[in-house]
Amino acid sequence: MILKGHDWLNHVQFSPTDPYTLMYAHEGPSDKVDRIWAIRYDGTQNKLMHERTDANETVNHEFWGPDGHTIWYDLQKPSGKNFYLASYDVQSGQRKLYHLDKVASSVHYGISKDGTLFCGDGRNTALPAAGSNTQGKTPWSRQWIETLKPIPLDATAATDPKMASWFDFNNKVSGKEVSLAGWLKPERLVNLSKNNYLRDEPNARFSPDGKYVIFTSNMFGSSYVFAVETK
């Protein structure tokens, strides 16, 4: 027994380089629960990986980076408005944000083995962003498998009013300053307009060699596993 509780726990993942560190999630309303936790194999060092700092802030779909000490996750501040792919380094405590335009956001993200490229699986036309309220309006949609290229945030962009609106430069998370890494530029690979996300979330990820993005889809009726070249 590592951890005993009465909560809805899920998404259990060992670090790919440290088999003694385990990440897991508290499931529930994403704007209410403290979701991402890490714990040692002997039940010690149970620690929250992201503390909410804003009302209606959501954290979802965490995954380990290939280095085994960086946790990546979907961060929305507030939900459905400002989108980020965020990370937390369990060794250094450093936090990092990449901004995404709303039309480039996804339900799930993945990272290549060399850490230079991300991928996403889009979002359902029938569903708004997690925790958001459409108030009877048609939810926005973007159903694509895509790669996401990190674009560094240079000194000029950091002083641009448009860029500044994407980030909260005074934000503090768990006492650590957030490093504003840049933004993610999407490149569309597969149109999933015929995929029913309520049945199958594509959950895209890279092949070990980084040459393909692998995902599931029911766009032809039954569910299949597909691979698309990244170049």
Side-chain angles (χ1 to χ4, degrees):
M1 177 67 68
I2 298 177
L3 177 69
K4 183 177 181 180
H6 300 285
D7 305 295
W8 179 15
L9 306 181
N10 203 351
H11 283 215
V12 180
Q13 304 171 52
F14 279 105
S15 162
T17 61
D18 179 5
Y20 300 109
T21 298
L22 186 69
M23 177 172 61
Y24 67 96
H26 280 266
E27 297 280 12
S30 55
D31 60 337
K32 299 291 190 300
V33 298
D34 291 324
R35 180 179 170 94
I36 308 174
W37 296 74
I39 190 170
R40 296 293 288 174
Y41 74 104
D42 58 1
T44 62
Q45 302 179 41
N46 189 35
K47 182 181 178 181
L48 179 64
M49 297 290 101
H50 178 93
E51 293 183 13
R52 183 177 293 102
T53 58
D54 295 336
N56 199 28
E57 175 181 323
T58 60
V59 170
N60 279 296
H61 297 124
E62 59 289 330
F63 60 96
W64 286 104
D67 60 15
H69 56 82
T70 303
I71 294 173
W72 293 91
Y73 54 96
D74 169 34
L75 172 63
Q76 300 176 30
K77 294 166 64 64
S79 177
K81 185 175 181 180
N82 297 314
F83 292 79
Y84 306 94
L85 184 58
S87 70
Y88 175 70
D89 189 314
V90 299
Q91 294 180 354
S92 68
Q94 182 185 28
R95 297 185 184 276
K96 188 163 59 176
L97 297 179
Y98 281 108
H99 175 264
L100 299 102
D101 286 330
K102 188 175 186 178
V103 294
S105 65
S106 289
V107 178
H108 304 96
Y109 300 96
I111 186 172
S112 60
K113 188 176 181 178
D114 63 6
T116 62
L117 193 64
F118 297 94
C119 64
D121 62 358
R123 290 186 183 273
N124 193 349
T125 54
L127 296 174
S132 66
N133 183 359
T134 62
Q135 299 180 338
K137 299 178 182 178
T138 301
W140 55 272
S141 67
R142 42 149 340 278
Q143 295 184 225
W144 291 87
I145 297 295
E146 61 195 0
T147 55
L148 300 160
K149 182 180 179 180
I151 306 298
L153 181 70
D154 59 30
T156 301
T159 60
D160 187 307
K162 292 182 180 179
M163 180 66 77
S165 69
W166 290 349
F167 298 103
D168 176 8
F169 287 93
N170 298 314
N171 185 41
K172 303 280 185 178
V173 182
S174 302
K176 302 284 186 180
E177 277 200 35
V178 175
S179 173
L180 308 175
W183 60 285
L184 297 179
K185 180 180 179 180
E187 180 179 347
R188 293 176 171 179
L189 300 179
V190 182
N191 186 328
L192 291 185
S193 59
K194 294 184 178 180
N195 184 73
N196 182 348
Y197 279 65
L198 294 175
R199 276 181 48 200
D200 295 307
E201 292 177 341
N203 215 331
R205 62 196 67 192
F206 287 96
S207 60
D209 61 8
K211 294 181 179 180
Y212 297 90
V213 172
I214 300 169
F215 63 98
T216 59
S217 176
N218 54 52
M219 57 184 166
F220 298 124
S222 298
S223 296
Y224 299 99
V225 177
F226 297 87
V228 56
E229 288 185 312
T230 57
K231 295 182 180 179

